[in-house]
Amino acid sequence: AQSVAQPEDQVNVAEGNPLTVKCTYSVSGNPYLFWYVQYPNRGLQFLLKYITGDNLVKGSYGFEAEFNKSQTSFHLKKPSALVSDSALYFCAVRDRGFQKLVFGTGTRLLVSP
Amino acid sequence: GAGVSQSPSNKVTEKGKDVELRCDPISGHTALYWYRQRLGQGLEFLIYFQGNSAPDKSGLPSDRFSAERTGESVSTLTIQRTQQEDSAVYLCASSGGQGNSIQYFGAGTRLSVL
């Protein structure tokens, strides 16, 4: 069975500092991995995905994520956080044999001025 | 349309009533998904439609839940005899249907069962 773990309910970071939001996953085969962001009262917005190839994936708004197969992780990173990055972040995985996304429980990112 | 559209944005109903939630996918998207997001939790898969294939209903929590889609257009999620535990945000997503397609989400319908 597929599963995703986001071990931190909340991450606090000062504006201008680097940020990391952690994600680990479990699938039976090779995964498709995604990060989405959710702002209050809005749907999920796609940030980036890993399908194959380069382990470092670059996405929207300066975010990037690194796929680590040995550690089954796909941590989201950004070199310099903005207050406007404050939101709820979801990691999701898809087993290549299935269509549905399996989501983590989300991590709330709070960037302070 | 430009994005996935869901209606209504908010729905308040009484326990035991039936509700219908609507989703308009992005034009040309063959795949459509419904998810449920309970307060403070991640998204749970409910059902998936792909073209004219039989839908994947494996995530529907009970037989009170059903969904339909006409061709590659609008989908309706119906919850019969609503219960308080059905209170959640119901999110719809659509994608191009290819293996590595991105799912694009609507803003959701917030359902409150009193």
Side-chain angles (χ1 to χ4, degrees):
Chain A
Q2 309 163 68
S3 66
V4 175
Q6 293 183 243
E8 303 151 317
D9 290 336
Q10 182 162 313
V11 169
N12 298 305
V13 64
E15 187 173 34
N17 284 357
L19 69 88
T20 299
V21 182
K22 296 179 180 177
C23 171
T24 58
Y25 66 89
S26 174
V27 295
S28 57
N30 292 319
Y32 294 135
L33 292 156
F34 301 81
W35 276 101
Y36 285 84
V37 60
Q38 186 176 37
Y39 296 98
N41 300 317
R42 297 176 64 177
L44 276 66
Q45 291 180 235
F46 168 77
L47 278 180
L48 51 79
K49 67 177 180 179
Y50 171 81
I51 301 300
T52 187
D54 195 347
N55 290 342
L56 184 63
V57 178
K58 293 188 183 296
S60 306
Y61 313 120
F63 284 93
E64 57 188 29
E66 185 167 11
F67 171 63
N68 187 316
K69 187 172 183 178
S70 63
Q71 297 185 4
T72 60
S73 67
F74 190 58
H75 301 331
L76 182 69
K77 300 182 179 184
K78 187 174 182 181
S80 179
L82 299 173
V83 172
S84 57
D85 293 329
S86 298
L88 189 56
Y89 290 80
F90 288 97
C91 181
V93 66
R94 228 188 81 208
D95 191 314
R96 295 186 183 217
F98 299 89
Q99 287 294 328
K100 69 177 184 180
L101 287 173
V102 174
F103 286 83
T105 51
T107 297
R108 187 165 301 281
L109 174 66
L110 184 60
V111 182
S112 54
Chain B
V4 178
S5 177
Q6 291 187 245
S7 60
S9 55
N10 284 283
K11 176 70 176 180
V12 180
T13 190
E14 294 179 350
K15 178 181 173 181
K17 300 285 189 183
D18 297 352
V19 295
E20 283 190 354
L21 313 180
R22 177 188 169 102
C23 173
D24 278 284
I26 292 172
S27 178
H29 277 187
T30 58
L32 187 147
Y33 310 77
W34 284 98
Y35 293 86
R36 177 171 70 178
Q37 184 179 22
R38 288 178 161 148
L39 186 64
Q41 298 185 23
L43 279 70
E44 306 169 69
F45 166 79
L46 295 177
I47 188 168
Y48 157 66
F49 296 91
Q50 172 65 58
N52 293 319
S53 301
D56 175 358
K57 303 179 181 180
S58 61
L60 294 178
S62 78
D63 58 7
R64 296 186 297 104
F65 287 72
S66 63
E68 294 183 348
R69 187 184 188 195
T70 306
E72 295 183 355
S73 62
V74 171
S75 175
T76 302
L77 177 68
T78 302
I79 308 173
Q80 295 179 310
R81 305 181 302 281
T82 52
Q83 304 294 314
Q84 288 185 331
E85 63 262 28
D86 298 333
S87 296
V89 177
Y90 289 83
L91 290 160
C92 176
S94 70
S95 76
Q98 291 80 28
N100 59 2
S101 294
I102 298 165
Q103 293 182 25
Y104 294 93
F105 284 80
T109 294
R110 182 176 299 277
L111 176 65
S112 300
V113 182
L114 305 179

